[in-house]
Amino acid sequence: MKRREFLAALGAGAAVVGGLSYRSASRGQGPVATGGQAQGEVPGAEAMTYRSFEGGDRVSLLGYGCMRWPKLEKPAADGNVIDQEAVNRLIDYAFEHGVNYYDTSPVYMQGWSEKATGIALKRHPREKFFVATKLSNFSNWTRENSIAMYKRSFSELQVDYIDYYLLHSIGSGGLERFMARYVENGMVDYLMEERKAGRIRHLGFSFHGTKEAFDTVLAMHERVHWDFVQIQMNYVDWRHATGANVDAVYLYGELAKRGIPAIIMEPLLGGRLSNLPDHIVARLKQRRPSDSVASWAFRFAGSEPGVLTVLSGMTYMEHLQDNLRSYGPLVPLTDEEKDFLEETAQLIMKFPTVPCNDCKYCMPCPYGIDIPAILVHYNKCVNEGNIPKSRKDAHYDRARQAFLVGYDRSVPKLRQASHCIGCNTCVSHCPQSIRIPEELHRIDAYVEQLKQGTL
C-alpha cells in the first residue's frame, strides 16, 4: 500500500474516531524477592480469572511476559543466554495454575526468547495455550527482512499458527517510522492476508509514543480491524505518563469505545511499583497487610473490564506465585481503592527516578555501556534514600557508600556511564522516550562528585 493510498483510506476512517518487594539482583537477571511476601497458599487453576475474546478465546487474566527469562551464569557455546530448565519449570508451574497466554518477541533476551519459549511450550498440548509474538523489525524494515522475521518466528516457536501477532512498539520514532516499518513495505497488507489464511488468528499492535501516533494507527481499525492492542498501563501511567507517552486512561478509553480488547504491559513499570520507598510501602501495607506491594498494581491493571490479559515478566517462582494469588481470583478495586492509588501515584511522582523499565531495547550499546543496569541502580538508590544531595544530609556517608559500592557491583567499570560519548544510537529505540545520553552524563557527573566528595 502506497503512502497516498494509506492517507486516503485513513481520511475516510478518521471520521469515526471521536509485600512482595523486589530488589536488584545480579546484573542482567532482573529482580528477586525479598521480605514482605504475601502469605497463603497458591490458588489452583480453578481459581484463575479468565476473560473472553470475541473469537471465543478464554484467556487467563495473568499472561506470561517472556522478556525476562532466567539467565545462565555465562552464555552457552552457541551464545544462548537463557536457562532452559528454569524456563521449563516456570512454564509447567504456570500451566498447572491456569496461565495460558505467553508473549514473546524475536528481539527479547538477545534474540533467544522465542526459541526457549517454544521449547517449553512444545511440551504441552497446542490447544491449551495462546502464544503471542511480534514483528520487531526495528533496524531493518525491508519487506524481505520483515517477512523473513515473521516466518522465523514459526520455526523458533515450533508452531504452525500464531494466536496473537503484533506490530511491535508502534509510535516509537513517530509516524514516519511507522509508515516505513509497516505500510510502505506492504507488511500490514501481508499480515492481513496471513490472518485470512489462518496462520495468524488475531492481529494487533503494541504502543509506545504520542497521542497523534496512537490516534492515527487506531484510525486504521475500520480497514484493518485490529483484534487487540497492547498498551502500557499501571496506576502511575493511568494519569501521569512521562516523556512522549500518553496517559493510559486515554489509551484504554479509546480502545473501550471501539470494543477493542486491551492487553496490558508494564503493570509494575519495570518493577518500580514493587520497589518503592519505605513510606509508600508502609502506606500500601497498612491497607492490606497480607497482600504484597505488587498485588496492588496487578489488581489495578486487571480491574478494567476491557482488559483481556495482564503481562508480567516473572523471572522467579516467587513472582509467579504472588501474581497467581492476585488473579486467583481477581478481587477488583473499589472506587475508593482507585482514589487511594491515585493519591499513591502522586506521591511516587515526587521521587526523581528515571522512567526506565529495564526493557533493554536500548541494547546493545555500540560502546559497551550497560545502560539498563546504570539506570536501574540509580532508581534503586533513589527509592532507598541513597542519593545524598550534600554533605549536610543525614546519613551522608552511609548513602554515599551504598551508591558507589552498589554501582561498581552492578556495572563493571568498562560499562559505566563515563564511557558514553552521546552518539544517541539508543534514543530512537527507547519506548519511554528517555534522553538516555543526558541521563548517563548526569549520573556520571553525580558519581564523580560522590567520589571526590564535592557535593
Side-chain angles (χ1 to χ4, degrees):
M1 187 179 191
K2 303 299 183 184
R3 178 188 298 265
R4 186 175 301 172
E5 297 170 32
F6 166 78
L7 293 174
L10 180 60
V16 302
V17 178
L20 183 70
S21 59
Y22 302 141
R23 61 176 172 81
S24 294
S26 57
R27 185 173 55 88
Q29 292 198 358
V32 295
T34 60
Q37 182 171 341
Q39 302 300 310
E41 294 184 4
V42 179
E46 71 283 353
M48 173 59 66
T49 301
Y50 291 89
R51 295 275 169 82
S52 294
F53 191 81
E54 70 174 45
D57 292 350
R58 184 171 178 263
V59 179
S60 57
L61 188 55
L62 177 60
Y64 218 123
C66 305
M67 188 171 72
R68 296 184 172 98
W69 284 133
K71 296 178 72 174
L72 297 166
E73 289 187 10
K74 60 180 181 179
D78 61 359
N80 188 3
V81 298
I82 296 176
D83 184 340
Q84 187 66 54
E85 291 185 4
V87 172
N88 291 351
R89 287 193 296 270
L90 288 166
I91 283 187
D92 289 351
Y93 194 90
F95 258 95
E96 292 168 8
H97 292 80
V99 177
N100 65 8
Y101 189 98
Y102 298 85
D103 171 90
T104 183
S105 159
V107 299
Y108 290 170
M109 301 295 297
Q110 299 177 39
W112 290 94
S113 177
E114 281 188 327
K115 188 177 185 67
T117 303
I119 291 171
L121 290 177
K122 187 67 174 179
R123 297 152 57 251
H124 296 272
R126 180 65 182 92
E127 69 275 8
K128 297 295 185 182
F129 64 86
F130 305 111
V131 65
T133 193
K134 307 172 182 73
L135 182 52
S136 308
N137 57 352
F138 296 126
S139 58
N140 181 352
W141 48 72
T142 65
R143 180 181 177 85
E144 293 74 19
N145 183 68
S146 299
I147 292 175
M149 176 177 282
Y150 166 73
K151 291 183 175 180
R152 189 162 53 248
S153 290
F154 287 85
S155 174
E156 296 286 73
L157 291 167
Q158 302 185 57
V159 297
D160 54 13
Y161 65 90
I162 293 170
D163 299 282
Y164 294 80
Y165 197 74
L166 299 90
L167 310 185
H168 196 179
S169 198
I170 293 296
S172 296
L175 286 174
E176 288 295 320
R177 190 179 177 91
F178 164 74
M179 292 291 296
R181 286 177 63 193
Y182 298 119
V183 177
E184 293 173 347
N185 61 6
M187 285 309 298
V188 169
D189 293 327
Y190 176 85
L191 296 174
M192 288 170 65
E193 289 300 314
E194 288 294 286
R195 179 175 58 184
K196 188 182 299 183
R199 286 181 287 272
I200 293 172
R201 295 186 59 240
H202 306 296
L203 180 63
F205 64 90
S206 65
F207 177 78
H208 293 284
T210 64
K211 179 177 176 294
E212 177 192 13
F214 184 75
D215 289 346
T216 300
V217 180
L218 198 59
M220 295 173 65
H221 180 55
E222 200 172 68
R223 185 179 77 86
V224 178
H225 183 77
W226 301 118
D227 295 308
F228 66 100
V229 175
Q230 189 165 302
I231 60 173
Q232 180 169 313
M233 191 174 95
N234 51 70
Y235 64 82
V236 171
D237 282 326
W238 186 246
R239 296 189 185 279
H240 307 283
T242 56
N245 286 328
V246 184
D247 286 349
V249 65
Y250 178 82
L251 302 178
Y252 175 80
E254 291 302 301
L255 297 178
K257 285 179 189 176
R258 296 161 176 80
I260 301 174
I263 292 176
I264 304 306
M265 57 184 162
E266 300 296 351
L268 287 178
L269 262 178
R272 282 184 285 150
L273 296 186
S274 56
N275 185 20
L276 294 166
D278 289 345
H279 72 282
I280 295 179
V281 172
R283 171 184 171 86
L284 297 172
K285 297 296 284 186
Q286 185 176 19
R287 292 292 297 266
R288 296 177 71 92
S290 63
D291 288 3
S292 69
V293 171
S295 71
W296 280 97
F298 282 98
R299 289 179 60 219
F300 176 88
S303 289
E304 294 297 334
V307 169
L308 181 64
T309 190
V310 179
L311 301 176
S312 177
M314 298 168 281
T315 311
Y316 300 100
M317 189 65 75
E318 302 98 308
H319 301 168
L320 175 56
Q321 291 173 335
D322 188 57
N323 293 343
L324 289 168
R325 293 185 186 98
S326 295
Y327 288 154
L330 168 72
V331 178
L333 293 176
T334 64
D335 288 342
E336 191 274 335
E337 286 177 319
K338 291 178 181 179
D339 291 340
F340 170 75
L341 282 183
E342 168 57 21
E343 294 169 2
T344 303
Q346 293 180 26
L347 292 173
I348 292 171
M349 291 299 292
K350 294 180 180 180
F351 285 78
T353 55
V354 181
C356 172
N357 292 346
D358 194 24
C359 67
K360 298 181 175 61
Y361 288 7
C362 56
M363 299 295 285
C365 166
Y367 295 91
I369 299 166
D370 195 338
I371 298 167
I374 295 166
L375 301 183
V376 166
H377 173 71
Y378 180 83
N379 285 344
K380 175 176 178 286
C381 288
V382 170
N383 287 328
E384 293 176 351
N386 292 327
I387 302 286
K389 295 182 179 178
S390 77
R391 284 184 168 276
K392 297 178 182 179
D393 289 358
H395 311 298
Y396 171 84
D397 290 333
R398 176 192 60 76
R400 174 179 177 272
Q401 182 179 16
F403 189 100
L404 293 176
V405 171
Y407 188 44
D408 285 341
R409 287 177 177 173
S410 300
V411 191
K413 289 188 182 297
L414 290 176
R415 306 194 69 186
Q416 292 182 358
S418 57
H419 296 279
C420 175
I421 68 164
C423 71
N424 286 315
T425 301
C426 52
V427 174
S428 63
H429 297 295
C430 178
Q432 307 302 323
S433 301
I434 301 169
R435 295 181 175 180
I436 294 172
E438 292 181 19
E439 295 292 351
L440 294 181
H441 293 159
R442 179 176 66 86
I443 291 170
D444 181 53
Y446 180 74
V447 168
E448 288 303 309
Q449 287 180 304
L450 284 182
K451 287 179 177 178
Q452 296 171 18
T454 56
L455 279 174

